[in-house]
Amino acid sequence: MATQVVLPETITRAGADEMQERIAAAKAALGKRLVVLGHHYQRDEVIRHADFTGDSFKLAQAAATRPEAEFIVFCGVHFMAESADILSADHQKVILPDLNAGCTMADMAETDQVEDCWEQVTSEIGEDILPVTYMNSTAGLKAFVGRHGGAVCTSSNARAVLDWAFRQKPRVLFFPDQHLGRNTGYRMGIPLPAMPVWDPYEPVGGLEGRDLPAARIILWKGHCSVHNRFTPDMVDRRRAQIPGVQVIVHPECRFEVAQKSDAIGSTEGIIKTVQASPAGTKWAVGTELNLVTRLARECAPERQVVSLDDCFCVCSTMFRIDPPHLLWVLENLAEGRVVNQVKVPPRTTREARIALDRMLEIR
Ligand code: 13P
Ligand code: SF4
């Protein structure tokens, strides 16, 4: 992966207002040649410049709706920019404002680890298994899934993708997020013992002999460092503090937290559920803080919205996309220099596209 250059002082020394004005001016100069996509976890000073906002599923679709745009500036993290590159046309260039905006969850499953797991699992139980990867994974893993007949899923379609997968094969290998896999599988009626966890750092994934043949979903030992911080105690505390509060959490939260909550919802699902709730409703939301703060502002004063916890639950890699980096890429593009392009190699693109297209076709 290319490294992020240090930004010049002409950018870093600009004041906050000047930066906002220069971002708007560079965007205007680029006109229809540019589309800016912003994930819901982005900070206010960045997301206000987005032409499309959404969760990773919606943004993957949005990238395909602007074929006339030469540049897709993705205010999100690296795996999202890779997916946009895979799904966009050849003439389009995808730009990530800070190349250090990775994802700790995506880093928890490397392609060779998953290939090694696949080899061991299939030699033990045969080919009656399909791989499903969460969108939050590298392009290399999506390509692996494409090669083996599986599909990508996001938090908003995990159930539909797993239903589809079980129509093909009796078992699924699901990576990298164990919590999304477990929360979704359990709601489909799969008991917890039928969802063992594969630890890539243990021999035979740390599993016992009988675990594999009895498994319906083999979960990967990965998690999101933001959502993993929510605990069942926090649910109890909010219920005690705010009588009548309803708790809604992202499916990347731990099983015990999801079980104690009133609802689970993808990023987009949380926003829709809270916005559609009657006036007077109170919500404690277990997801990234930028989203919760914005939702609280938009819903006030009719509805009360608070974070599930007072912890500073921001995604530190999403937070790397800041006004200086956005300004730097936009001014470079406006002056004819393409910086921070995320380009997936052709073979990986072809194979990963199969897995992404399968996801987009599943209803
Ligand atoms: P979604 O956008 O699919 O809800 O995923 C949440 C997330 O963690 C993004 O990195
Ligand atoms: Fe990765 Fe979690 Fe941040 Fe999403 S919120 S980018 S899964 S670390």
Side-chain angles (χ1 to χ4, degrees), residues 312-358:
F312 191 61
C313 285
V314 294
C315 172
S316 55
T317 49
M318 286 271 183
F319 205 62
R320 281 184 175 275
I321 310 297
D322 57 6
H325 286 86
L326 180 58
L327 173 60
W328 178 70
V329 295
L330 291 181
E331 287 193 342
N332 270 289
L333 292 176
E335 287 162 18
R337 288 181 300 274
V338 176
V339 290
N340 282 17
Q341 184 179 357
V342 173
K343 185 93 199 94
V344 179
R347 181 170 170 197
T348 308
T349 297
R350 270 196 312 279
E351 294 176 344
R353 172 116 204 191
I354 296 170
L356 278 161
D357 280 345
R358 279 195 194 111

Side-chain angles (χ1 to χ4, degrees), residues 39 41 76-80 101-107 134 136 177 223-228 250 252 287-288 314-319:
H39 190 272
Y41 296 171
V77 290
H78 195 266
F79 70 79
M80 296 179 182
C103 165
T104 48
M105 179 200 286
D107 292 344
Y134 190 19
N136 304 18
D177 186 20
H223 63 264
C224 163
S225 45
V226 179
H227 293 93
N228 205 45
H250 194 279
E252 286 174 18
T287 192
E288 209 271 352
V314 294
C315 172
S316 55
T317 49
M318 286 271 183
F319 205 62

Side-chain angles (χ1 to χ4, degrees), residues 20-233:
Q20 292 294 318
E21 282 161 23
R22 281 169 62 183
I23 290 171
K27 247 196 104 181
L30 285 158
K32 286 197 182 314
R33 295 173 66 206
L34 169 75
V35 61
V36 179
L37 307 181
H39 190 272
H40 287 305
Y41 296 171
Q42 292 289 304
R43 50 173 101 200
D44 286 349
E45 315 87 89
V46 166
I47 208 152
R48 68 167 63 111
H49 299 289
D51 299 302
F52 292 93
T53 59
D55 62 3
S56 51
F57 181 70
K58 203 168 148 191
L59 293 178
Q61 288 176 317
T65 64
R66 291 288 298 274
E68 76 282 11
E70 197 180 330
F71 308 117
I72 298 171
V73 171
F74 210 121
C75 298
V77 290
H78 195 266
F79 70 79
M80 296 179 182
E82 280 186 332
S83 298
D85 181 52
I86 292 164
L87 289 168
S88 58
D90 286 349
H91 68 276
Q92 296 182 294
K93 296 181 175 61
V94 177
I95 316 289
L96 184 64
D98 184 341
L99 291 176
N100 288 325
C103 165
T104 48
M105 179 200 286
D107 292 344
M108 288 177 196
E110 291 169 16
T111 308
D112 56 350
Q113 290 177 320
V114 173
E115 276 170 352
D116 187 42
C117 164
W118 185 255
E119 221 177 281
Q120 293 186 60
V121 168
T122 52
S123 70
E124 182 71 27
I125 57 173
E127 296 279 334
D128 265 352
I129 182 162
L130 205 71
V132 171
T133 187
Y134 190 19
M135 181 69 112
N136 304 18
S137 58
T138 60
L141 272 191
K142 294 184 179 86
F144 167 87
V145 167
R147 280 198 299 280
H148 291 279
V152 177
C153 76
T154 72
S155 60
S156 55
N157 62 15
R159 169 78 194 245
V161 173
L162 282 177
D163 278 336
W164 168 86
F166 284 122
R167 289 198 293 274
Q168 327 296 314
K169 298 273 172 99
R171 294 187 188 86
V172 165
L173 172 63
F174 188 92
F175 40 83
D177 186 20
Q178 59 170 306
H179 300 305
L180 175 66
R182 187 180 294 110
N183 285 324
T184 311
Y186 191 77
R187 277 164 178 71
M188 293 167 72
I190 300 174
L192 294 181
M195 295 187 279
V197 178
W198 181 275
D199 181 344
Y201 295 99
E202 292 288 337
V204 210
L207 298 182
E208 304 286 333
R210 280 196 314 268
D211 289 343
L212 285 177
R216 297 287 316 285
I217 304 180
I218 300 169
L219 302 169
W220 192 261
K221 193 172 182 192
H223 63 264
C224 163
S225 45
V226 179
H227 293 93
N228 205 45
R229 283 161 69 176
F230 295 108
T231 62
D233 291 357

